[in-house]
Each structure stands twice: as C-alpha cells, then as structure tokens.
Amino acid sequence: MVAKDHLSLQLYTVRGKLEEDFDGTLARIAEIGYTKVEPFGVTAFADRLAEALPKHGLSAPTTHAGLLREDSAPIYAAAERLGITTVIDPHTDPARWQSADGIKEIADGLNKAAAEAADHGITVGYHNHQFELESKIGGAHGLEILADNLADNVILEVDTYWAAVGGADVPALLKKFGERVTAIHVKDGDGTLNNKAQVAVGDGTIAVRDILAAAPQALRVVELDDFTGEILDAVEGSYAFLTGEGAPE
C-alpha cells in the first residue's frame, strides 16, 4: 500500500470543482485523506493556494508550469512562496519529438532552466504525454533520448498512463530511468486517447501494481484528465485503492 505522505493529487483533475468552490474543493481533498497536491497555473492561483493549502493541512512539493514557454521569474517566485521545490514542464510541441536534434534542443532548454532554478533552491523536471513514447528514433523512445541528454539534476515525472498509451513497457522504462524519476502520474482507464474513458485508479486496464513496484522512490501523483461521473468519487476511489491492501508501497 502507498503511504499517505507518498501520495499526491494533480489539481487539474478537479479544475471544474476549483472554479466552482476553490476552498471547499481543497477541503474535500484533505478530508478524503490527501496531504499533498500538485497545482497547475501556479502563478494565477498563488494567492488562493497560499491561503488554502496551510488551512487544510496540504502541501505542494511539485507543480506544473511552462518553463520552456513562459517567463520563469514569476513561476519561481510563486513556487518559493508556496514551498514548492520541484517545477515540472508539462508539455512541449509534439513536432519537436520527430528527430534526435529536436529532442536534444528540449533537453538543452530544460538543462538551462535547471541551472537558473537552482539559484532559487528549485529542481526542474519534465512530464510526458503519449507522443514522447510514440516517437522512436534508432530503436529508442523519444523520452529515452531526452533522458540521455538531461543534466543529472533534471528529474522526470513519468505519466505512466500516457507512456502506456504511447506503446512503452512502462515498468521497464521506469526501471531504466531509475532515480531520475522522482514522481509519477498514476492514472487508469482503457489505455486509449479517450480522456472520458479514464477511471479511478484500480478500475481500468493499466498494470498499476507493476508500475508502482517499478518506481518505489517516486511520489505517486493521482490524475484524471477527464471522467464521465462525479470526479471527486474517482479521486476518493483512487485514494482508497492506493492506500488499501494490495497496492505496493
């Protein structure tokens, strides 16, 4: 089973709920049992997060922010204010993943960002979708080429669902990346591009237990990109599965 302090929730999962009731949604997340969250739009939400996180006993060790597309100074300022120690770029243009040179340019950008972030006590990382795995060059997934060109201090947050959709052997990939993977997105569904087919962790076709066992060091970040029912039911169901019997630490 996953320890509570090793579990987080990507707040994009509940974006609609946050628009309706920001404070109440975070209160419900804490009531379910989560102690950590992964914000998005951290510069826009910094004021509300600064008030709500400590109020509900939540911390945010990681966040998603477009370091390669946006002005980094406000991102680092928001992260420092909120006690966030890892800033993860969540998306790049799929067209850049069609050649080794394009991927190396992305790595160079992340390496430069990491050097700048280090001055703020912040670690930089990258989060994948499916296209970084669908891209294969010389027999290697694009994400593998990226990892080979990253500085040692740049981490990976492997979205295990999208890696599976992209055709990767996810447990093998996680074992290859080793300690560079400090966080993983844990999600479940039917293994297709249909976001609406995503379900609570443990209710789909993804080999979640094998994935967790392959990266014991990584923070487990629950996420659903979409859901057909009441999203907080899926958030609660994911928590129950991961913290219950049968799921490895």
Side-chain angles (χ1 to χ4, degrees):
M1 56 189 291
V2 177
K4 284 177 61 173
D5 64 357
H6 207 34
L7 187 61
S8 183
L9 175 71
Q10 166 55 248
L11 290 180
Y12 183 77
T13 303
V14 293
R15 58 198 178 278
K17 296 289 184 181
L18 291 170
E19 289 179 6
E20 296 169 6
D21 183 355
F22 193 91
D23 186 76
T25 299
L26 290 176
R28 177 67 182 122
I29 289 166
E31 182 184 21
I32 289 169
Y34 290 91
T35 61
K36 295 179 171 63
V37 293
E38 182 173 77
F40 66 100
V42 69
T43 54
F45 293 124
D47 288 344
R48 283 187 279 180
L49 287 166
E51 178 181 356
L53 292 181
K55 177 181 177 181
H56 300 297
L58 296 168
S59 63
T62 62
T63 189
H64 279 194
L67 284 173
L68 302 185
R69 304 181 303 280
E70 303 170 22
D71 181 5
S72 61
I75 294 172
Y76 296 141
E80 287 182 279
R81 179 183 178 189
L82 297 169
I84 295 169
T85 54
T86 301
V87 175
I88 299 162
D89 196 295
H91 188 270
T92 49
D93 183 350
R96 301 180 69 187
W97 291 82
Q98 303 311 306
S99 70
D101 287 343
I103 296 169
K104 289 174 184 176
E105 287 179 0
I106 295 169
D108 288 344
L110 290 166
N111 293 340
K112 290 175 183 175
E116 181 183 52
D119 292 337
H120 301 270
I122 291 169
T123 298
V124 164
Y126 184 75
H127 162 278
N128 62 280
H129 289 79
Q130 86 286 352
F131 54 82
E132 296 94 337
L133 288 307
E134 288 174 340
S135 169
K136 295 200 78 172
I137 300 165
H141 292 291
L143 192 62
E144 294 177 279
I145 296 171
L146 179 78
D148 287 343
N149 288 276
L150 291 175
D152 290 343
N153 61 339
V154 180
I155 66 95
L156 291 175
E157 178 181 59
V158 176
D159 188 309
T160 59
Y161 183 84
W162 290 127
V165 173
D169 178 336
V170 181
L173 191 73
L174 292 171
K175 289 175 183 176
K176 177 179 180 181
F177 291 153
E179 294 297 318
R180 190 185 290 276
V181 180
T182 63
I184 57 175
H185 270 192
V186 184
K187 61 178 73 168
D188 213 339
D190 66 356
T192 72
L193 291 170
N194 179 12
N195 288 349
K196 286 283 190 182
Q198 291 180 21
V199 294
V201 177
D203 288 349
T205 64
I206 302 301
V208 174
R209 289 183 175 85
D210 293 340
I211 286 168
L212 296 177
Q217 76 287 349
L219 179 69
R220 286 79 162 90
V221 184
V222 171
E223 184 187 40
L224 290 91
D225 296 290
D226 210 337
F227 186 59
T228 55
E230 167 53 58
I231 189 61
L232 286 170
D233 288 346
V235 169
E236 186 170 11
S238 298
Y239 180 89
F241 174 81
L242 290 168
T243 59
E245 294 300 321
E249 177 73 26

